[in-house]
Amino acid sequence: MDLNYNLVEGNLLINNPHATHHGGVYQCIATNTFGTIVSKEAKVQFAYLQNFSRKPRNTVSVREGQAVVLLCGPPPHNGEIKYSWVFNRRPSFLLQDTRRFVSQRTGNLYIAKVEASDVGNYTCVVRNMMTNATVYSSPTPVELRRDAVMAEYEPKIEVQFPESLHVTKGSSVKLECFALGNPVPAITWRRTDGNPLPGKMKINHSNGVLEIPYFRPEDAGAYECVAENSRGKNIAKGQLIFQSMIAHNVYKLTVANLQWECRASGKPKPVYRWLKNGEPLVLEDRILVEGGRLAVSRINLLDSGMYQCLAENEHGAIYASAELKVVASAPDFSKSLVKKSMLIQRGGEVIMECRPHASPRASISWRRGGEFLKDSKRRTIMEDGTLRISNISESDGGRYTCVARNPFGTSSSTGTLVVKEPTKITVPPLSVDATVGQSIVLPCEVSRDSSLDPTFKWFFNGKLIDFNKQDHFEMIGGESAGDLMVRNIQLKHSGKYVCMVHTVVDSVSAAADLIVRGPPGAPEGLMVGEITDSSAQLSWGSGPDNHSPVTTYTIQARTPFSIGWQAVRTVPDSVPGQMFHATVIDLNPWVDYEFRVVAINNVGVGEPSMQSKQIRTKAAVPEVAPGNVSGGGGSRGELVIQWEPIPEELQNGEEFGYIVAFRSLGTTTWKQTVLASPDASRYTFRNDSIPPLSQFEVKVGVYNKEGEGPSSHVVVVYSAEEVLARTLSASEIEVYWEPIPQTASSGKIIGYEVLCWEEGVQESDAEMVKVTDTVALLSGLMGSTLYLISVRAQNSAGAGPSSPAVNVTTKKPPPSQPPGNIEWNLTNSKIFLKWEHVKAMGNESEVTGYKVVYRQNWLGKSSVVETNRTSVELQVPSGDDYLIEIKVLSGGGDGSSSGPIRIPKMSIVLDGLFFCLFTIHVI
C-alpha cells in the first residue's frame, strides 16, 4: 500500500525511490484463465560513487622501452562505471591505441612500451553511468630513468579474460586482452575450433576488447587472444559457455502420462525447482520430480495450468514456462491443411502430409476422387497418416483427400497433384584441358517441361560462382542453355565445375573437370655440390609441373661481373625434365657464382628457383694473355710499353700480376720485369743510351699464385722521340727535333707532321703543319694558352707514331693600348716625336720598348726605328709628305699601333728658322 508504488500495465513504477525503503528483490506475477506464472527475480540497487582519497600518489620511474601499469584503485561505488585517464591535465581523455589500453574491469592503464613522450602526470577518471557523477584521482607522476634503455622482449599478456564464462542468451559479452612487450605486440583474436568469428563481433581500435552482442548458442566455444611481436608470442584462452534453459509444451489426454524435461547449463551445476501457477508444485504419488525432470502419470483435467521450471545457482536464476492443456476435440484441419497444389516430376516421389489437430488422435485414410486408396507397390499410407507415392506417372495426377476420424467427429482436407516432365541435361559439360591464357566454354543444355522455367547455377570447387564478382566467368546461352565461358584461364581455375539446374519441381546437375596447363612452377631445394676451378655440380627437386610435364631444365648463373642472370653451359648440354642434377662447366676460376634453375615445358618457361648460396670456384693458372699490346712515346731514352689489363673475372686466382719482356729488334736475349699489380697497364724502361725511335720486340705475360699463364703476341714498339719547343710570343711557338736515322726498316723519311692542340681538346681535333725540315714555326696562336705539341715522321707508307706530347704555354698578349698624346715638330730635315708611356694590364706582357715606322707618301718604302724611350728624332729628306705610326714592343709581340700620322711637305721651314706648326694628340 506504499503510495510510491504504481502498477501500469504490468510494469511496476516506483516514484521518488529511496534506498532504505525500496531497495530489494521483486517478482512479477501474471495470471489469466489458463493459470499463473512468476517472473525471474529483479534486484533493485541504488547507484552511488564516492570520492577518491586525496593522498598523493607515488612517482613511477621506468626505463624507455619498458612496460608500465598505472593502478586506478576506484573509490567505493555501485552501478555501472566507466574508466578513463587524463594525461598532464589536458581537457581530452587519453586516446587508447595498440600501445596504451584502459581496462574497464580494473580501471588500470597499461602502456605496452614506454616512450620519452609518455613522461608526465596521469589522472584516473571514474564516471557512474547511472548518476553521471565523475570523480578524479590524485595524479600519478611518471618519470624516465636514464640509466639504461630496455632491450626487446617477447609479449606478456597482462590483461586477460576468465578461463570459462557462462553467458545467457541475448546478453552482450566483452573479453579484454592486452599485452606488454617491446616491440609493441599486435593483438589478434580467433576461435580455437577453426570456426570464423561471429560477423556481429566488434573489436575496438586497439584490438584489446572483443565484444559479442546478442549472444546465441552458436557463439559459444573456445576463444583465443594472440599477442605477437618480433621476439615471440603469447596466447590467452577462454571458454564461453551458453547458459540456457530448455523446456517443452506437452499436450496429453486424460489417463495419459506426461514426461517433461527441463535442462539448464551453468557452473556450479544448477539446482531445479518446479512451480505450478506461481506456487511450488505439490508432489504426490503420481507427480514426481527428479532434478529437472517432471513426471505426471494418469493426467486429468485438474492438471491443466501453467508450469515453470526454475534453475538457479550462486550466479542467479532463470525460468522456463510452459502450458499443460488437457483437452478433448474432433479432428480439425484449420491450422494444418493438406497442401493445395503439389508439382512433381514424372518418375519422382511425392509425400503428402496429413496432420489434423485431434484429441484423441484421429485415424487417417486417403481417397483419390471418390475411391479410397490402399497400400500398393508404389503407394504407402504411413503410421502418422502421410501418403507416399513413388515412381510417379502422368496417371497419378489428380485430387487427393485426407479423411480424419475420432470418437468426436470426422474432417477432411484436399490437395491437387500435378505431374510434370522431368528436367534432363542433354548437353552436359565435358572434362577438358586448357592452357593458361586460353578461353573455353563448358556447355550445359537441358530438356524440360515447357511450363517450367529453369534456373542455371554453376559451382566451382563446391562454391557458387558469383558472376558479378568474377571477371573470368560469364554465363551465356538461351532459355534452355546456361553455358559457362571462362576467359583468360589461369592456373587457379583448375578444378571441378558443376552445372546445377533448378525448376519448381526438380533439380539436376552435371560435373566436369577443368585441367589448366601452364608453365612449370619454380624448382625447389637447389643445392651446390662438388666445385672445381671451372665447374660445379648442382642438384634440385621438381616443382609443380602445372599439368604439363617438364621437358628440360636450364641453368642460369650470376657473378659480380655479369649483367643480370646468364645461361651457362652444362653437362649434359640439355638437361631433360626427368633429371634433377647437372654439372655446370666453362666457369671462370676464382669467381663468386650464384645459380638458379628454370624449368621448361610445352607451355612455356617457368619461374626460376630460389638462387643458391654464393660459392667461389677454385683458383687456376691464368689462361688469357693481355691484349692490345703497344707502346711508344715518352721522354728521350725511354721505352714505353702499354697493354689492356686482364679483367678481374679472368685473373683466375690471388697474387695476379704481369711479366713484361722486351728486346732490341734483331737481338736474341729478352729483358723482363715483373709487375705485381693486377691493375697495371703500362711499363716504362729508361736508358739514356737508347736512340730515339729505336725498334724493340715486346710481349706481356700473366701469372698468379698458381703459376705463369700465356704471353701476348710479340709486337714492335719504338722508343721515345725527343721534341723541344719554345714560345716566341703570344701567338708563335718554335718547334724542333732530332731527325730519325735512316734504316732499312723505317724507309726514307720524306717529312714530318707537327700536331698542335689546346689543353682540353682531343688530339684528333689538332691543327697540323707539314714540314720537310726538323724545325717548324707555329703561328696564329692565342696568348696565355697551354698547347700540346707532338711530332710524327712520314715515309712513303704513311705517318708513324706520334712523339709524346710537349706542353708549351704562349706568352701573355701584347698591350692592347696604343701610344697616346703624340706630339711632333720639325726643322729642316729633322722630325722630333714624343708620346706617353704605355702601361700593360695585368693579363698583358710588359712593355719593352717602342717601334716607329715611317715612309714617304702612301707607297714609299717603310723605315723602322726601335727605342726604349718615349721620344725619337728622325732624319728625313725634305720636299715630300711623311706617314708615321708608333707601336708598343713587348715579350708577347708588337702591340697596337697609334694609327698613321701624316706630316705634309708644306710644313717645311726655310732659311734655317725653327717653326712649330701644331701639335697632334692621338687618343
Side-chain angles (χ1 to χ4, degrees), residues 27 167 315 459 568 575 861:
Q27 271 187 299
V167 187
H315 299 293
F459 294 83
V568 292
V575 183
K861 184 178 180 181

Side-chain angles (χ1 to χ4, degrees), residues 8 42 75 85 212 239 304 351 392 524 583 697 746 783 828 881 901:
V8 182
W85 284 78
I212 305 175
Q239 187 85 12
S304 297
I351 293 177
I392 287 179
E524 300 174 351
T583 301
E697 290 182 311
S746 64
N828 292 334
D881 293 342
I901 304 168

Side-chain angles (χ1 to χ4, degrees), residues 612-632:
S612 70
K613 64 178 182 179
Q614 191 178 71
I615 60 98
R616 175 171 288 188
T617 50
K618 294 184 178 180
V621 174
E623 299 176 350
V624 178
N628 291 335
V629 177
S630 62

